[in-house]
């Protein structure tokens, strides 16, 4: 557990990507199985310990420490794991456990015994190791390591191709001992990869590169506002994956039921009603569910709009140029005629100016923008620079009033960095502010310090870790869309809001009105 704790500590205080890779490589080389496999699972999001919840952890602490003291401490520190690590009473007793001992005990404990097991480990650990334990148990690593970065470190360590490692990754379960044996020079894991997730090809923002690209070298198509998925069907077995490899099939039995073909395709999952693509908010009602009612299937019918063909029947075609894959995809669709499925058509164009005019109208037609794909590019996992670009529509902006602030996590746990903002509307008692969104990005470190100081000096009330502030500070918010929401008092919610500018100069009375935002609510598009 000590080595894992030191790894997390090093990753938190190491901003450089290459330095993080070196830390990960050194840890995986020096740490025995199965500890390194469980560490990898925790960092890559492959470890779930559902019996350990934040509320259970708070209960354990309040059994041992004055609850009022704990709540004040939590409010000051802002991070549950750090607070528990520091306030847990007593000196460490006994030998510290191995990481594998911790994971295996918590996985098998069940809800009734999990609290006692966790408390026992806390009693055996020093504060820094206790911090790692709580982060492990709750899944809140927040150390700046993505699953792909962890896999990149593995590939470098074992001198194996990253693309092949990512193929095998989804066919091997934690703690990945067959995978590590291969990386250490042994045979490749023998796994059935037919229904395994294939690493997706991702796009880079085109930004100001557009004029340096040759229009004749690229195909263009709409960037649809759904979720990217991969659908595989072999020998009568179906699988539907999100872009991160999560199995989302249970939430979309209508799509699985329509997969009576052989192959693997890449596309966009949408809700289409009577031939009309519905707003993303409609699709969102089905995401994350384990089961779906008949009523929801009828109200929000899922649809698969295809972008690419990865396997034509049993044949892997990812190495072919994009134009060849598109031709085969069209033939594949004509031969199989799958229900609930169609093709994302290419957009003919000759100049970037023609395409720019279409992009400017993307919002009115319900798309996120455009995709640019090099005609000769093979399909490779990850985000290589050059083959695919996304050219998104310009964001909307609105000036809103800061009304609540909450402490952040990790490096931001000492700052009020999560902000709820509001717009004006006319109510029975006159003009009132109603929350329309929450953002925690878009500002610099220096701006964060100024905001934190302002919030502390202008707090008017507290609700646990949340502070209500004087409604005086205006934030210019950039966002992608506005959608109806029954979960918010305002009746709307912004999609992907981020802070564009702090309007220290603007009075709150001149902030946006709710009626303006309501006018931007996206409706279904042909």
């Amino acid at each position: 557990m000590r080595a894992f704790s030191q790894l997390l500590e090093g990753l938190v205080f190491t901003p450089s990507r290459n330095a993080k890779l070196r830390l990960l490589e050194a840890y995986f080389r020096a740490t025995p199985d199965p500890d390194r496999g469980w560490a990898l699972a925790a960092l890559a999001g492959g470890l779930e310990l559902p019996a350990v919840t934040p509320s259970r952890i708070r209960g354990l602490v309040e059994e041992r420490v004055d609850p009022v003291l704990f709540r004040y401490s939590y409010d000051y520190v802002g991070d549950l794991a750090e607070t528990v690590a520091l306030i847990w009473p007593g000196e460490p007793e006994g030998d510290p456990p191995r990481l594998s001992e911790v994971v295996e005990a918590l996985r098998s404990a069940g809800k009734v015994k999990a609290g006692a097991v966790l408390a026992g480990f806390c009693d055996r650990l020093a504060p820094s190791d206790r911090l790692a334990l709580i982060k492990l148990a709750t899944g809140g690593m927040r150390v700046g390591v993505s699953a792909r970065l962890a896999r990149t470190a593995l590939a470098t360590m074992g001198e194996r191709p990253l693309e092949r490692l990512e193929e095998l990754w989804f066919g091997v379960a934690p703690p990945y001992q067959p995978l590590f044996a291969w990386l250490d020079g042994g045979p490749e894991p023998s796994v059935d990869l037919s229904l395994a997730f294939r690493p997706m090809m991702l796009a880079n923002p085109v930004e100001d590169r557009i004029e340096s690209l040759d229009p004749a070298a690229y195909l263009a198509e709409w960037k649809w506002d759904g979720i990217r998925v991969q659908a595989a069907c072999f020998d009568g077995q179906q699988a539907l994956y999100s872009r991160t490899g999560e199995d989302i099939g249970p939430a979309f039995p209508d799509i699985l039921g329509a997969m009576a073909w052989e192959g693997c395709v890449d596309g966009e999952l949408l809700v289409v009603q009577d031939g009309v693509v519905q707003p993303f908010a409609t699709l969102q009602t089905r995401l994350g569910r384990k089961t779906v009612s008949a009523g929801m299937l009828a109200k929000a019918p899922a649809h698969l709009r295809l972008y690419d063909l990865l396997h034509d029947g049993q044949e892997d075609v990812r190495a072919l140029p994009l134009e060849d894959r598109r031709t085969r995809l069209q033939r594949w669709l004509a031969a199989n005629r799958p229900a609930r499925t169609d093709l994302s058509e290419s957009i003919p164009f000759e100049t970037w100016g023609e395409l720019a005019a279409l992009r400017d109208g993307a919002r009115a037609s319900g798309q996120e923008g455009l995709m640019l794909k090099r005609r000769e590019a093979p399909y490779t996992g990850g985000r290589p620079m050059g083959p695919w670009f996304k050219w998104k529509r310009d964001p909307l902006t609105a000036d809103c009033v800061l009304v609540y602030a909450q402490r952040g996590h990790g490096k931001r746990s000492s700052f009020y960095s999560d902000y709820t903002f509001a717009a004006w509307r006319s109510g029975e008692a006159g003009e009132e502010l109603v929350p329309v969104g929450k953002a925690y990005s878009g500002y610099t470190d220096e701006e964060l310090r100024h905001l934190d100081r302002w919030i502390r000096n202008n707090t008017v009330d507290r609700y646990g870790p949340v502070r209500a502030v004087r409604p005086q500070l205006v934030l210019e918010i950039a966002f992608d869309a506005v959608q109806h929401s029954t979960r918010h008092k305002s009746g709307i919610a912004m999609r992907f809001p981020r802070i564009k500018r702090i309007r220290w100069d603007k009075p709150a009375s001149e902030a946006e009105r709710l009626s303006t935002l309501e006018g931007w609510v996206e409706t279904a598009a042909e």
Side-chain angles (χ1 to χ4, degrees):
M1 195 69 196
R2 178 87 279 260
F4 179 64
S5 169
Q6 290 173 332
L7 173 65
L8 294 189
E9 193 172 297
L11 292 170
V12 165
F13 293 104
T14 303
S16 163
R17 178 181 183 274
N18 289 337
K20 286 180 186 289
L21 283 171
R22 289 193 292 271
L23 284 173
L24 290 166
E25 288 175 45
Y27 176 83
F28 293 136
R29 287 183 193 279
T31 305
D33 294 321
D35 285 30
R36 60 180 177 175
W38 289 124
L40 175 61
L43 291 166
L47 177 63
E48 294 185 3
L49 301 170
V52 182
T53 62
S55 60
R56 186 179 295 272
I57 293 171
R58 286 193 293 268
L60 290 173
V61 178
E62 291 181 355
E63 290 172 2
R64 293 161 172 79
V65 176
D66 180 359
V68 174
L69 174 62
F70 169 65
R71 290 167 195 164
Y72 272 119
S73 301
Y74 184 22
D75 180 51
Y76 182 80
V77 174
D79 182 85
L80 178 63
E82 188 174 351
T83 307
V84 173
L86 294 170
I87 207 170
W88 192 270
E91 294 296 320
E93 298 177 358
D95 296 328
R98 288 183 56 182
L99 178 60
S100 54
E101 179 187 347
V102 170
V103 172
E104 289 158 11
L106 290 175
R107 290 181 82 209
S108 60
K111 290 184 178 180
V112 176
K113 298 180 179 178
V117 171
L118 185 70
F121 286 132
C122 284
D123 289 337
R124 294 167 59 185
L125 293 170
S128 59
D129 301 331
R130 204 179 291 139
L131 174 64
L133 169 68
I134 303 300
K135 285 185 174 292
L136 176 83
T138 58
M141 294 289 106
R142 298 182 182 272
V143 292
V145 173
S146 65
R148 194 157 207 269
L149 188 69
R151 293 195 290 267
T152 301
L154 286 184
T156 304
M157 179 198 79
E159 298 182 347
R160 303 288 190 180
L162 177 59
E163 292 77 13
R164 186 55 181 167
L165 185 146
E166 290 193 311
E167 291 275 324
L168 297 168
W169 170 271
F170 293 97
V172 181
Y176 310 111
Q177 284 171 275
L179 193 65
F180 276 107
W182 174 60
L183 294 169
D184 288 339
E188 183 176 286
S190 177
V191 294
D192 180 10
L193 296 177
S194 60
L195 284 182
F197 174 73
R198 280 87 174 156
M200 277 195 178
M201 185 147 176
L202 304 174
N204 291 284
V206 72
E207 297 175 339
D208 56 358
R209 298 187 186 93
I210 190 73
E211 294 302 328
S212 67
L213 304 177
D214 177 10
Y218 285 83
L219 295 175
E221 60 187 290
W222 290 115
K223 189 177 190 302
W224 294 94
D225 192 12
I227 66 165
R228 184 91 173 276
V229 294
Q230 184 180 110
C233 185
F234 295 97
D235 299 324
Q237 299 184 70
Q238 301 95 357
L240 185 67
Y241 298 106
S242 71
R243 60 182 285 174
T244 58
E246 178 188 1
D247 181 6
I248 60 172
F252 296 95
D254 41 355
I255 293 293
L256 293 182
M259 290 166 58
W261 36 261
E262 288 281 311
C264 181
V265 291
D266 176 334
E268 194 83 2
L269 189 62
L270 305 164
V271 167
V272 176
Q273 189 80 271
D274 299 325
V276 179
V277 177
Q278 302 300 302
F280 179 80
T282 307
L283 174 64
Q284 207 166 22
T285 62
R286 293 190 55 177
L287 297 177
R289 295 177 178 269
K290 299 298 182 184
T291 59
V292 184
S293 68
M296 181 165 286
L297 290 172
K299 185 179 179 181
H303 184 89
L304 189 56
R305 182 150 290 169
L306 299 186
Y307 294 141
D308 217 323
L309 181 66
L310 311 188
H311 283 251
D312 187 355
Q314 297 287 334
E315 183 184 357
D316 188 341
V317 297
R318 287 174 290 177
L320 296 178
L322 171 63
E323 282 192 311
D324 292 354
R325 297 198 309 275
R326 289 279 301 189
T327 299
R328 294 183 68 145
L329 177 58
Q330 290 168 336
R331 288 203 302 260
W332 183 90
L333 279 166
N336 289 286
R337 298 184 180 278
R340 298 181 179 274
T341 306
D342 65 8
L343 178 67
S344 179
E345 298 288 350
S346 292
I347 302 170
F349 74 101
E350 293 184 1
T351 68
W352 294 129
E354 291 176 40
L355 213 53
L358 289 173
R359 170 185 169 270
D360 291 343
R363 189 177 303 282
S365 54
Q367 287 91 7
E368 281 194 295
L370 295 166
M371 291 293 298
L372 310 175
K373 299 179 180 179
R374 200 171 66 219
R375 295 173 182 271
E376 297 181 354
Y379 188 102
T380 56
R383 203 184 298 272
M385 180 57 71
W388 286 15
F389 290 104
K390 51 187 175 183
W391 198 11
K392 297 184 71 172
R393 64 196 185 191
D394 291 332
L396 297 166
T397 61
D399 290 337
C400 299
V401 181
L402 177 64
V403 288
Y404 301 109
Q406 186 173 349
R407 285 181 182 274
H409 297 274
K411 291 182 180 178
R412 293 180 175 177
S413 61
S414 297
F415 295 96
Y416 285 91
S417 61
D418 297 9
Y419 309 123
T420 299
F421 42 86
W424 290 105
R425 78 172 177 188
S426 299
E428 294 180 1
E431 292 294 287
E432 63 176 350
L433 285 165
V434 287
V436 293
K438 185 175 183 179
Y440 44 84
S441 65
Y443 44 76
T444 65
D445 289 345
E446 183 178 356
E447 287 173 327
L448 173 59
R449 287 191 289 271
H450 284 301
L451 284 166
D452 182 76
R453 188 180 307 117
W454 187 92
I455 288 161
R456 293 174 188 275
N457 292 335
N458 290 274
T459 297
V460 295
D461 210 341
R462 300 187 186 209
Y463 308 96
V466 178
R467 291 194 182 200
V469 299
R470 301 181 197 282
Q472 296 175 348
L473 182 59
V474 175
L475 304 175
E476 184 179 353
I477 305 298
F479 51 98
D480 289 358
V482 182
Q483 53 199 35
H484 287 299
S485 173
T486 57
R487 298 174 56 191
H488 297 80
K489 182 181 177 181
S490 63
I492 64 167
M494 293 178 174
R495 189 161 184 228
F496 299 137
R498 56 271 190 196
I499 296 170
K500 183 179 181 182
R501 190 162 44 133
I502 306 168
R503 297 299 306 269
W504 301 103
D505 60 315
K506 190 165 188 174
S509 59
E510 295 180 10
E512 209 69 69
R513 298 197 62 80
L514 180 62
S515 57
T516 301
L517 298 177
E518 289 173 334
W520 292 339
V521 171
E522 293 198 337
T523 56
E526 297 290 345

